[in-house]
């Protein structure tokens, strides 16, 4: 698994270039995109095959078969680390199930680059992939969050998303990172409402990463969410099973039972594009 540049092609590591040169097969999200990287660095390479969301399951079976016969396969996505909001999980799981060794070669990350650029601190943060489109789902995702949240967003939805964040918490700090490591890189921070006004006047282009600060103490939704979690914890401490405690509090408060249950048990679903 080879991490590739998120923008600037010179950010690729020497280990990745060596692995791409040695591989018998390079599985690419887009063979044309990977071809540009290989040409830029003068890498002589083996066969390029497509590996994307529409053929991932079938192609994974084919590649695992080739690896079992002794072939070395290098997996890349268009940017960042494969299998992080990009194709790759099916191949990793298939390889491990077949007792094929999987080696990860680290490299550039849009998540950590945006987090560092934001200046919001990184002691605790969560990555949630692409943000939900519905305002209610977005509010539930962010309400009461005590850590910084990093997410991807479509440039067409940036202004609307910032408006929705501001509506739920008028003091929410956000940093919008656009085209990281590229020629027109932009990092702009401020309150969500202020940024919404800016991007309504100046619609952004390119790839966007949002770094969203913790909920402010003035967030009504955040306070309600914290109260619901605390109530569920008190029920669990009194002897109720976590699932039952989450269900009771959800019925009384309107909170989502699954989210309360995850808070009680510490369980987390698979986090989605690096």
């Amino acid at each position: 698994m080879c991490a590739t540049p998120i923008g600037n092609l010179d950010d690729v590591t020497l280990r990745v270039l060596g692995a791409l040169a040695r591989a018998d097969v390079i599985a690419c999200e887009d063979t044309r995109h990977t071809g540009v990287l290989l040409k830029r660095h003068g890498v002589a390479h083996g066969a390029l095959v497509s590996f994307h969301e529409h053929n991932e399951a079938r192609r994974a079976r084919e590649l695992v078969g080739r690896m079992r016969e002794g072939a070395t396969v290098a997996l890349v996505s268009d940017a960042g680390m494969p299998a992080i909001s990009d194709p790759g999980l099916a191949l990793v799981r298939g390889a491990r199930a077949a007792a094929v060794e999987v080696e990860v070669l680290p490299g550039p990350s849009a998540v950590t680059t945006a987090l560092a650029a934001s200046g919001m601190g990184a002691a605790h943060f969560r990555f949630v992939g692409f943000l939900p489109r519905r305002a209610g789902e977005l509010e539930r995702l962010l309400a009461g969050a005590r850590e910084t949240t990093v997410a991807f967003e479509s440039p067409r939805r940036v202004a609307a998303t910032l408006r929705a964040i501001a509506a739920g918490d008028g003091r929410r700090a956000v940093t919008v990172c656009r085209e990281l490591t590229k020629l027109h890189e932009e990092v702009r921070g401020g309150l969500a409402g202020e940024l919404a006004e800016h991007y309504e006047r100046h619609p952004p282009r390119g790839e966007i990463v949002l770094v969203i600060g913790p909920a402010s103490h003035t967030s009504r939704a955040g306070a309600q969410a914290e109260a619901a979690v605390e109530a569920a914890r008190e029920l669990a401490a009194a002897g109720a099973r976590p699932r039952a405690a989450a269900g009771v509090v959800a019925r009384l408060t309107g909170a989502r039972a699954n989210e309360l249950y995850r808070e009680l048990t510490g369980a987390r679903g698979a986090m989605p594009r690096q």
Side-chain angles (χ1 to χ4, degrees):
M1 299 177 68
C2 299
T4 54
I6 59 176
N8 192 314
L9 296 182
D10 286 342
D11 287 339
V12 67
T13 71
L14 295 176
R15 284 185 69 200
V16 165
L17 291 178
L20 295 176
R22 292 189 301 270
D24 299 301
V25 180
I26 302 176
C28 320
E29 188 174 5
D30 186 326
T31 56
R32 295 165 299 180
H33 190 97
T34 301
V36 172
L37 175 66
L38 296 169
K39 183 177 180 180
R40 169 70 176 79
H41 293 283
V43 176
H45 56 84
L48 302 183
V49 299
S50 63
F51 188 92
H52 48 71
E53 60 180 334
H54 302 297
N55 72 353
E56 183 172 2
R58 173 178 57 82
R59 188 73 83 190
R61 291 191 295 270
E62 296 174 3
L63 292 174
V64 168
R66 295 193 63 171
M67 287 188 285
R68 294 184 70 175
E69 294 172 355
T72 297
V73 174
L75 172 65
V76 298
S77 63
D78 286 347
M81 181 64 74
I84 307 296
S85 289
D86 274 336
L89 281 178
L91 183 56
V92 174
R93 291 170 177 169
R96 293 200 181 281
V100 171
E101 180 182 0
V102 176
E103 183 178 7
V104 178
L105 279 58
S109 165
V111 174
T112 55
T113 301
L115 189 62
S118 74
M120 289 188 180
H124 300 283
F125 75 95
R126 60 175 176 168
F127 170 57
V128 297
F130 283 93
L131 290 171
R133 296 194 172 194
R134 296 182 179 178
E137 293 179 6
L138 177 62
E139 183 178 11
R140 285 190 290 271
L141 175 69
L142 298 177
R146 293 179 290 275
E147 66 277 293
T148 297
T149 300
V150 183
F152 299 131
E153 185 54 285
S154 162
R156 296 186 298 274
R157 294 189 47 78
V158 167
T161 295
L162 291 168
R163 279 291 180 202
I165 293 172
D169 185 347
R171 302 299 302 169
R172 203 67 171 261
V174 179
T175 299
V176 179
C177 301
R178 185 177 68 84
E179 292 289 86
L180 286 171
T181 78
K182 299 178 183 178
L183 180 62
H184 299 292
E185 174 179 295
E186 177 189 43
V187 177
R188 182 179 295 271
L191 297 181
E194 298 169 347
L195 292 171
E197 293 179 2
H198 171 79
Y199 287 109
E200 285 169 350
R201 296 193 305 269
H202 308 283
R205 295 181 180 180
E207 296 192 346
I208 305 290
V209 184
L210 299 181
V211 184
I212 306 165
S216 72
H217 295 301
T218 59
S219 168
R220 177 178 58 84
Q224 291 174 339
E226 288 191 16
V229 171
E230 186 58 31
R233 285 174 177 157
E234 290 180 4
L235 283 176
R241 293 181 179 274
R243 183 70 70 183
V248 169
V249 174
R251 287 194 296 273
L252 293 174
T253 65
R256 295 174 68 89
N258 286 343
E259 292 176 2
L260 291 173
Y261 178 76
R262 287 196 295 269
E263 289 290 340
L264 290 177
T265 61
R268 290 291 184 269
M271 283 297 159
R273 181 167 172 147
Q274 174 203 11

